[in-house]
């Protein structure tokens, strides 16, 4: 590996292999997202998530596809400008990914960070609640898939007080729409019923028509909806699963970051470390070219 040409060759090969794989995987993810969004194909786990997540997946993988094409061009040594753009975007992507992973790990472990990030987390929770309520009201089939995927009932306690914002519902029918019974058996063969939770909610909303601190405390003390062993509501269940998955997701992202760091380093080496004669983009020094010419001339004289 002491030969500069060998190093440049390894850098190019690594860029080609990694980015070719990224092109294939990102394109597959884009196609998968469009198929789920605009066809009749349904997958229980994927269908349980709101559509905006699929749009995020498509946009993110579109960016990965673009970046990988630039990486392929860099690996083939076809364009110095493509290498520069690849390096710039790779560094920006690395920074964003590192910040996202750190924030996710802190949030998953309940560690407070800056006020702005904490507010952002609260906004995400609020958006999740709104999305789940809209799904339950407007897309009952998708909502049923969600509650069965996460083995949960309803959205959260506060959501049951949102019924005045949805035409055609009263408190009882709104509770029924959110707390739907599962129709598919669980792994142990049983069917999950939300009936006990509905009964508790009927009673609480009848006693406390307006959401207040007392109602929240009563719900927290209720044996079913306030259970601390396993979350009853889907919002809590999804948050719990997200926290459980965070470590694994962070590990996968860590591996991807490591690969991306090597790719960026390889591109930087081709850009700034390897000369044109060695297979890179850095201009050869005139002195080196002259020395090489003199050496070749001397060799010819000796041969003569």
């Amino acid at each position: 590996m002491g030969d500069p040409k060998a190093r440049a060759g390894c850098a190019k090969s690594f860029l080609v292999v990694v980015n070719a794989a990224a092109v294939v995987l990102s394109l597959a993810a884009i196609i998968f997202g469009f198929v789920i969004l605009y066809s009749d194909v349904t997958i229980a786990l994927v269908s349980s998530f709101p559509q905006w997540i699929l749009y995020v997946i498509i946009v993110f993988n579109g960016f990965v596809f673009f970046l990988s094409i630039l990486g392929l061009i860099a690996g083939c040594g076809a364009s110095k400008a493509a290498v520069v753009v690849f390096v710039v975007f790779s560094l920006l992507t690395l920074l964003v990914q590192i910040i996202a992973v750190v924030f996710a790990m802190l949030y998953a472990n309940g560690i407070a960070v800056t006020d702005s990030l904490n507010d952002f987390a609260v906004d995400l929770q609020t958006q999740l609640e709104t999305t789940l309520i809209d799904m339950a009201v407007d897309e009952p089939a998708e909502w049923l898939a969600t509650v069965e995927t996460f083995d949960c009932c309803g959205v959260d306690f506060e959501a049951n007080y949102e019924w005045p914002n949805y035409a055609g519902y009263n408190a009882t029918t709104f509770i029924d729409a959110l707390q739907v019974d599962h129709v598919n058996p669980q792994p142990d063969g049983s069917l999950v019923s939300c009936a006990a939770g509905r009964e508790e909610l009927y009673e609480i909303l009848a006693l406390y028509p307006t959401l207040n601190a007392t109602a929240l405390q009563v719900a927290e003390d209720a044996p079913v909806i306030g259970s601390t062993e396993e979350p009853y509501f889907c919002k809590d269940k999804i948050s719990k699963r997200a926290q459980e998955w965070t470590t694994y997701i962070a590990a996968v992202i860590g591996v991807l970051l490591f690969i991306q760091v090597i790719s960026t380093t390889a591109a930087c080496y081709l850009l700034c470390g390897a000369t044109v004669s060695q297979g890179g983009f850095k201009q050869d020094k005139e002195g080196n070219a002259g020395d090489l010419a003199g050496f070749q001339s001397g060799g010819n004289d000796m041969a003569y």
Side-chain angles (χ1 to χ4, degrees):
M1 293 298 294
D3 183 3
K5 287 187 178 181
R7 287 198 297 268
C10 288
K12 288 182 176 181
S13 298
F14 185 85
L15 285 170
V16 169
V17 171
V18 169
N19 287 284
V23 165
V24 173
L25 293 175
S26 59
L27 186 59
I30 293 171
I31 294 173
F32 174 79
F34 277 113
V35 168
I36 297 298
L37 279 172
Y38 299 109
S39 74
D40 295 330
V41 177
T42 57
I43 299 175
L45 180 60
V46 178
S47 299
S48 65
F49 290 101
Q51 286 190 346
W52 66 265
I53 292 181
L54 292 174
Y55 287 116
V56 170
I57 291 173
I58 291 172
V59 172
F60 174 76
N61 281 281
F63 175 76
V64 172
F65 180 81
F66 166 74
L67 191 62
S68 300
I69 291 294
L70 292 177
L72 276 176
I73 296 174
C76 294
S79 171
K80 182 177 181 180
V83 181
V84 173
V85 176
F86 174 78
V87 169
V88 171
F89 276 102
S90 291
L91 291 174
L92 291 175
T93 305
L94 280 171
L95 179 62
V96 171
Q97 287 177 323
I98 291 172
I99 293 173
V101 169
V102 171
F103 171 65
M105 292 299 293
L106 291 172
Y107 177 71
N109 290 280
I111 300 174
V113 287
T114 64
D115 290 340
S116 58
L117 289 179
N118 288 333
D119 292 341
F120 175 70
V122 171
D123 290 341
L124 284 180
Q125 292 282 346
T126 303
Q127 178 61 40
L128 175 61
E129 177 183 314
T130 303
T131 300
L132 293 178
I133 295 175
D134 291 342
M135 184 190 298
V137 172
D138 300 328
E139 304 174 52
E142 285 75 7
W143 176 237
L144 180 60
T146 300
V147 300
E148 292 191 326
T149 297
F150 291 97
D151 186 17
C152 57
C153 297
V155 176
D156 60 10
F157 176 69
E158 293 86 344
N160 296 282
Y161 283 88
E162 295 292 327
W163 67 266
N165 298 323
Y166 292 86
Y169 286 95
N170 57 40
T172 300
T173 57
F174 198 67
I175 289 174
D176 292 342
L178 298 187
Q179 271 75 208
V180 294
D181 289 329
H182 301 195
V183 296
N184 292 322
Q186 298 300 298
D188 61 359
S190 64
L191 285 173
V192 175
S193 174
C194 301
R198 286 196 297 268
E199 293 299 326
E200 290 182 353
L201 289 168
Y202 295 152
E203 295 177 6
I204 295 173
L205 265 71
L207 290 172
Y208 306 100
T210 303
L211 181 63
N212 54 42
T214 304
L216 290 170
Q217 186 60 53
V218 171
E220 187 177 335
D221 296 335
V224 177
I225 66 175
S227 173
T228 56
E229 294 182 4
E230 190 69 20
Y232 171 86
F233 292 111
C234 291
K235 181 181 171 183
D236 297 332
K237 204 68 168 286
I238 292 173
S239 297
K240 181 180 179 181
R241 292 290 178 266
Q243 291 178 358
E244 293 172 350
W245 296 340
T246 298
T247 302
Y248 302 104
I249 294 173
V252 172
I253 293 178
V255 173
L256 296 177
L257 284 174
F258 178 71
I259 295 174
Q260 192 171 352
V261 166
I262 297 178
S263 297
T264 306
T265 303
C268 288
Y269 176 74
L270 292 176
L271 192 63
C272 304
T275 62
V276 174
S277 62
Q278 295 167 350
F281 293 95
K282 184 180 179 181
Q283 291 298 319
D284 291 284
K285 295 181 180 180
E286 294 182 1
N288 292 343
D291 293 342
L292 180 61
F295 174 77
Q296 291 175 340
S297 176
N300 291 336
D301 292 341
M302 289 176 66
Y304 178 78

Short mmCIF file of all heavy atoms in Angstrom, two decimals, residues 223-259:
data_model
loop_
_atom_site.label_atom_id
_atom_site.label_comp_id
_atom_site.label_asym_id
_atom_site.label_seq_id
_atom_site.Cartn_x
_atom_site.Cartn_y
_atom_site.Cartn_z
N PRO A 223 -56.99 1.30 36.55
CA PRO A 223 -56.29 0.02 36.44
C PRO A 223 -55.92 -0.40 35.03
O PRO A 223 -54.92 -1.09 34.82
CB PRO A 223 -57.26 -0.98 37.08
CG PRO A 223 -58.59 -0.30 37.07
CD PRO A 223 -58.32 1.15 37.16
N VAL A 224 -56.71 -0.01 34.03
CA VAL A 224 -56.45 -0.46 32.65
C VAL A 224 -55.68 0.60 31.88
O VAL A 224 -54.55 0.38 31.45
CB VAL A 224 -57.76 -0.81 31.92
CG1 VAL A 224 -57.46 -1.19 30.46
CG2 VAL A 224 -58.45 -1.97 32.63
N ILE A 225 -56.28 1.78 31.67
CA ILE A 225 -55.63 2.79 30.85
C ILE A 225 -54.41 3.39 31.56
O ILE A 225 -53.54 3.99 30.91
CB ILE A 225 -56.61 3.90 30.43
CG1 ILE A 225 -57.08 4.70 31.66
CG2 ILE A 225 -57.76 3.33 29.65
CD1 ILE A 225 -57.97 5.89 31.31
N GLY A 226 -54.33 3.26 32.88
CA GLY A 226 -53.19 3.79 33.62
C GLY A 226 -52.16 2.74 33.97
O GLY A 226 -51.26 3.00 34.78
N SER A 227 -52.27 1.55 33.38
CA SER A 227 -51.35 0.46 33.70
C SER A 227 -49.90 0.85 33.43
O SER A 227 -49.58 1.44 32.39
CB SER A 227 -51.70 -0.78 32.87
OG SER A 227 -50.73 -1.79 33.05
N THR A 228 -49.04 0.53 34.39
CA THR A 228 -47.61 0.85 34.24
C THR A 228 -46.81 -0.36 33.73
O THR A 228 -45.65 -0.22 33.37
CB THR A 228 -47.01 1.29 35.58
OG1 THR A 228 -47.24 0.26 36.56
CG2 THR A 228 -47.65 2.57 36.06
N GLU A 229 -47.43 -1.54 33.69
CA GLU A 229 -46.73 -2.73 33.22
C GLU A 229 -46.51 -2.68 31.72
O GLU A 229 -45.43 -2.97 31.22
CB GLU A 229 -47.53 -3.98 33.59
CG GLU A 229 -47.62 -4.23 35.10
CD GLU A 229 -48.37 -5.50 35.41
OE1 GLU A 229 -48.75 -6.22 34.45
OE2 GLU A 229 -48.57 -5.79 36.60
N GLU A 230 -47.56 -2.34 30.98
CA GLU A 230 -47.48 -2.24 29.53
C GLU A 230 -48.40 -1.10 29.10
O GLU A 230 -49.56 -1.06 29.48
CB GLU A 230 -47.92 -3.55 28.87
CG GLU A 230 -47.65 -3.62 27.38
CD GLU A 230 -46.18 -3.69 27.02
OE1 GLU A 230 -45.38 -4.06 27.90
OE2 GLU A 230 -45.82 -3.36 25.88
N PRO A 231 -47.90 -0.15 28.31
CA PRO A 231 -48.74 0.99 27.91
C PRO A 231 -50.02 0.55 27.22
O PRO A 231 -50.01 -0.36 26.39
CB PRO A 231 -47.83 1.76 26.95
CG PRO A 231 -46.43 1.39 27.34
CD PRO A 231 -46.53 -0.04 27.78
N TYR A 232 -51.11 1.20 27.58
CA TYR A 232 -52.41 0.91 26.97
C TYR A 232 -52.55 1.67 25.66
O TYR A 232 -52.98 1.11 24.65
CB TYR A 232 -53.52 1.30 27.94
CG TYR A 232 -54.92 1.27 27.35
CD1 TYR A 232 -55.65 0.08 27.34
CD2 TYR A 232 -55.51 2.42 26.84
CE1 TYR A 232 -56.94 0.04 26.80
CE2 TYR A 232 -56.79 2.39 26.30
CZ TYR A 232 -57.50 1.20 26.29
OH TYR A 232 -58.76 1.17 25.76
N PHE A 233 -52.18 2.94 25.67
CA PHE A 233 -52.40 3.80 24.50
C PHE A 233 -51.29 3.61 23.46
O PHE A 233 -50.13 3.36 23.79
CB PHE A 233 -52.46 5.26 24.94
CG PHE A 233 -53.68 5.59 25.77
CD1 PHE A 233 -53.56 5.91 27.11
CD2 PHE A 233 -54.94 5.59 25.20
CE1 PHE A 233 -54.67 6.22 27.88
CE2 PHE A 233 -56.07 5.91 25.95
CZ PHE A 233 -55.93 6.21 27.29
N CYS A 234 -51.69 3.80 22.18
CA CYS A 234 -50.76 3.57 21.07
C CYS A 234 -49.62 4.58 21.04
O CYS A 234 -48.50 4.24 20.69
CB CYS A 234 -51.53 3.62 19.75
SG CYS A 234 -52.66 2.23 19.51
N LYS A 235 -49.91 5.82 21.38
CA LYS A 235 -48.85 6.83 21.38
C LYS A 235 -47.74 6.45 22.35
O LYS A 235 -46.54 6.55 22.02
CB LYS A 235 -49.42 8.19 21.75
CG LYS A 235 -48.41 9.32 21.76
CD LYS A 235 -49.06 10.63 22.17
CE LYS A 235 -48.03 11.72 22.40
NZ LYS A 235 -48.66 12.97 22.87
N ASP A 236 -48.12 5.98 23.55
CA ASP A 236 -47.12 5.55 24.53
C ASP A 236 -46.40 4.30 24.06
O ASP A 236 -45.20 4.14 24.27
CB ASP A 236 -47.79 5.29 25.88
CG ASP A 236 -48.41 6.54 26.48
OD1 ASP A 236 -47.92 7.63 26.18
OD2 ASP A 236 -49.39 6.41 27.23
N LYS A 237 -47.14 3.40 23.41
CA LYS A 237 -46.55 2.15 22.93
C LYS A 237 -45.55 2.43 21.81
O LYS A 237 -44.46 1.85 21.78
CB LYS A 237 -47.66 1.23 22.43
CG LYS A 237 -47.34 -0.25 22.43
CD LYS A 237 -47.21 -0.79 23.83
CE LYS A 237 -47.18 -2.30 23.88
NZ LYS A 237 -48.49 -2.92 23.64
N ILE A 238 -45.90 3.33 20.90
CA ILE A 238 -44.99 3.68 19.81
C ILE A 238 -43.74 4.35 20.36
O ILE A 238 -42.62 4.06 19.92
CB ILE A 238 -45.71 4.59 18.79
CG1 ILE A 238 -46.81 3.81 18.06
CG2 ILE A 238 -44.71 5.17 17.79
CD1 ILE A 238 -47.68 4.66 17.17
N SER A 239 -43.91 5.25 21.32
CA SER A 239 -42.76 5.92 21.94
C SER A 239 -41.85 4.90 22.63
O SER A 239 -40.62 4.99 22.55
CB SER A 239 -43.23 6.97 22.94
OG SER A 239 -43.96 8.00 22.30
N LYS A 240 -42.47 3.94 23.31
CA LYS A 240 -41.68 2.91 24.00
C LYS A 240 -40.90 2.07 23.00
O LYS A 240 -39.71 1.79 23.20
CB LYS A 240 -42.60 2.01 24.82
CG LYS A 240 -41.86 0.92 25.59
CD LYS A 240 -42.81 0.06 26.40
CE LYS A 240 -42.05 -1.04 27.15
NZ LYS A 240 -42.96 -1.91 27.93
N ARG A 241 -41.57 1.67 21.91
CA ARG A 241 -40.88 0.88 20.88
C ARG A 241 -39.75 1.69 20.24
O ARG A 241 -38.68 1.16 19.96
CB ARG A 241 -41.87 0.42 19.82
CG ARG A 241 -42.89 -0.58 20.31
CD ARG A 241 -42.24 -1.93 20.59
NE ARG A 241 -43.23 -2.87 21.12
CZ ARG A 241 -43.46 -3.08 22.40
NH1 ARG A 241 -42.77 -2.42 23.32
NH2 ARG A 241 -44.37 -3.95 22.79
N ALA A 242 -40.01 2.98 20.02
CA ALA A 242 -38.97 3.83 19.42
C ALA A 242 -37.75 3.90 20.33
O ALA A 242 -36.61 3.86 19.86
CB ALA A 242 -39.53 5.22 19.16
N GLN A 243 -37.98 4.00 21.63
CA GLN A 243 -36.87 4.03 22.58
C GLN A 243 -36.11 2.71 22.59
O GLN A 243 -34.90 2.68 22.68
CB GLN A 243 -37.39 4.37 23.97
CG GLN A 243 -37.90 5.80 24.10
CD GLN A 243 -38.46 6.08 25.49
OE1 GLN A 243 -38.51 5.21 26.34
NE2 GLN A 243 -38.91 7.31 25.70
N GLU A 244 -36.85 1.60 22.48
CA GLU A 244 -36.21 0.30 22.46
C GLU A 244 -35.39 0.10 21.19
O GLU A 244 -34.34 -0.55 21.21
CB GLU A 244 -37.26 -0.81 22.57
CG GLU A 244 -37.97 -0.85 23.91
CD GLU A 244 -39.13 -1.83 23.92
OE1 GLU A 244 -39.50 -2.33 22.84
OE2 GLU A 244 -39.67 -2.07 25.01
N TRP A 245 -35.89 0.65 20.08
CA TRP A 245 -35.20 0.48 18.80
C TRP A 245 -34.06 1.46 18.61
O TRP A 245 -33.22 1.26 17.71
CB TRP A 245 -36.19 0.65 17.64
CG TRP A 245 -37.26 -0.38 17.59
CD1 TRP A 245 -37.25 -1.62 18.17
CD2 TRP A 245 -38.53 -0.26 16.93
NE1 TRP A 245 -38.42 -2.28 17.93
CE2 TRP A 245 -39.24 -1.49 17.17
CE3 TRP A 245 -39.13 0.73 16.18
CZ2 TRP A 245 -40.51 -1.71 16.65
CZ3 TRP A 245 -40.40 0.49 15.67
CH2 TRP A 245 -41.08 -0.72 15.90
N THR A 246 -34.03 2.52 19.41
CA THR A 246 -33.04 3.57 19.20
C THR A 246 -31.62 3.03 19.23
O THR A 246 -30.78 3.40 18.40
CB THR A 246 -33.20 4.68 20.27
OG1 THR A 246 -34.49 5.27 20.13
CG2 THR A 246 -32.15 5.76 20.08
N THR A 247 -31.32 2.14 20.19
CA THR A 247 -29.96 1.61 20.31
C THR A 247 -29.57 0.86 19.05
O THR A 247 -28.45 1.03 18.53
CB THR A 247 -29.87 0.68 21.53
OG1 THR A 247 -30.23 1.40 22.70
CG2 THR A 247 -28.45 0.16 21.69
N TYR A 248 -30.48 0.04 18.53
CA TYR A 248 -30.18 -0.74 17.33
C TYR A 248 -30.05 0.17 16.10
O TYR A 248 -29.17 -0.02 15.26
CB TYR A 248 -31.27 -1.79 17.09
CG TYR A 248 -31.46 -2.74 18.25
CD1 TYR A 248 -32.55 -2.62 19.10
CD2 TYR A 248 -30.53 -3.75 18.51
CE1 TYR A 248 -32.72 -3.47 20.17
CE2 TYR A 248 -30.70 -4.61 19.58
CZ TYR A 248 -31.80 -4.47 20.41
OH TYR A 248 -31.97 -5.32 21.47
N ILE A 249 -30.96 1.14 16.03
CA ILE A 249 -30.89 2.08 14.91
C ILE A 249 -29.59 2.87 14.95
O ILE A 249 -28.94 3.08 13.93
CB ILE A 249 -32.11 3.03 14.94
CG1 ILE A 249 -33.39 2.24 14.68
CG2 ILE A 249 -31.94 4.15 13.91
CD1 ILE A 249 -34.66 3.05 14.85
N ALA A 250 -29.20 3.30 16.16
CA ALA A 250 -27.95 4.05 16.31
C ALA A 250 -26.76 3.19 15.90
O ALA A 250 -25.79 3.69 15.29
CB ALA A 250 -27.79 4.53 17.75
N ALA A 251 -26.80 1.89 16.22
CA ALA A 251 -25.69 1.00 15.84
C ALA A 251 -25.59 0.87 14.32
O ALA A 251 -24.49 0.93 13.75
CB ALA A 251 -25.90 -0.38 16.47
N VAL A 252 -26.74 0.72 13.67
CA VAL A 252 -26.74 0.63 12.20
C VAL A 252 -26.24 1.93 11.59
O VAL A 252 -25.41 1.92 10.67
CB VAL A 252 -28.16 0.30 11.69
CG1 VAL A 252 -28.21 0.40 10.17
CG2 VAL A 252 -28.59 -1.08 12.15
N ILE A 253 -26.74 3.06 12.11
CA ILE A 253 -26.30 4.35 11.58
C ILE A 253 -24.81 4.55 11.84
O ILE A 253 -24.10 5.12 11.01
CB ILE A 253 -27.12 5.50 12.22
CG1 ILE A 253 -28.57 5.41 11.76
CG2 ILE A 253 -26.53 6.86 11.84
CD1 ILE A 253 -29.47 6.46 12.37
N GLY A 254 -24.31 4.04 13.00
CA GLY A 254 -22.89 4.14 13.28
C GLY A 254 -22.04 3.42 12.24
O GLY A 254 -21.00 3.94 11.80
N VAL A 255 -22.50 2.24 11.82
CA VAL A 255 -21.79 1.50 10.77
C VAL A 255 -21.82 2.28 9.46
O VAL A 255 -20.80 2.41 8.76
CB VAL A 255 -22.40 0.11 10.58
CG1 VAL A 255 -21.77 -0.60 9.38
CG2 VAL A 255 -22.21 -0.73 11.84
N LEU A 256 -23.00 2.83 9.13
CA LEU A 256 -23.13 3.61 7.90
C LEU A 256 -22.26 4.87 7.95
O LEU A 256 -21.66 5.25 6.94
CB LEU A 256 -24.59 4.00 7.68
CG LEU A 256 -25.57 2.84 7.45
CD1 LEU A 256 -26.99 3.36 7.31
CD2 LEU A 256 -25.17 2.05 6.20
N LEU A 257 -22.19 5.50 9.13
CA LEU A 257 -21.33 6.67 9.28
C LEU A 257 -19.88 6.30 9.06
O LEU A 257 -19.12 7.05 8.42
CB LEU A 257 -21.52 7.27 10.68
CG LEU A 257 -22.79 8.09 10.92
CD1 LEU A 257 -22.88 8.49 12.38
CD2 LEU A 257 -22.80 9.34 10.05
N PHE A 258 -19.46 5.15 9.60
CA PHE A 258 -18.08 4.70 9.43
C PHE A 258 -17.75 4.50 7.96
O PHE A 258 -16.70 4.94 7.47
CB PHE A 258 -17.87 3.40 10.20
CG PHE A 258 -16.50 2.81 10.05
CD1 PHE A 258 -15.40 3.41 10.65
CD2 PHE A 258 -16.30 1.66 9.29
CE1 PHE A 258 -14.12 2.87 10.50
CE2 PHE A 258 -15.03 1.11 9.14
CZ PHE A 258 -13.94 1.72 9.75
N ILE A 259 -18.69 3.87 7.23
CA ILE A 259 -18.48 3.66 5.79
C ILE A 259 -18.44 4.99 5.06
O ILE A 259 -17.61 5.20 4.16
CB ILE A 259 -19.60 2.76 5.22
CG1 ILE A 259 -19.51 1.36 5.83
CG2 ILE A 259 -19.51 2.69 3.70
CD1 ILE A 259 -20.66 0.46 5.44
#
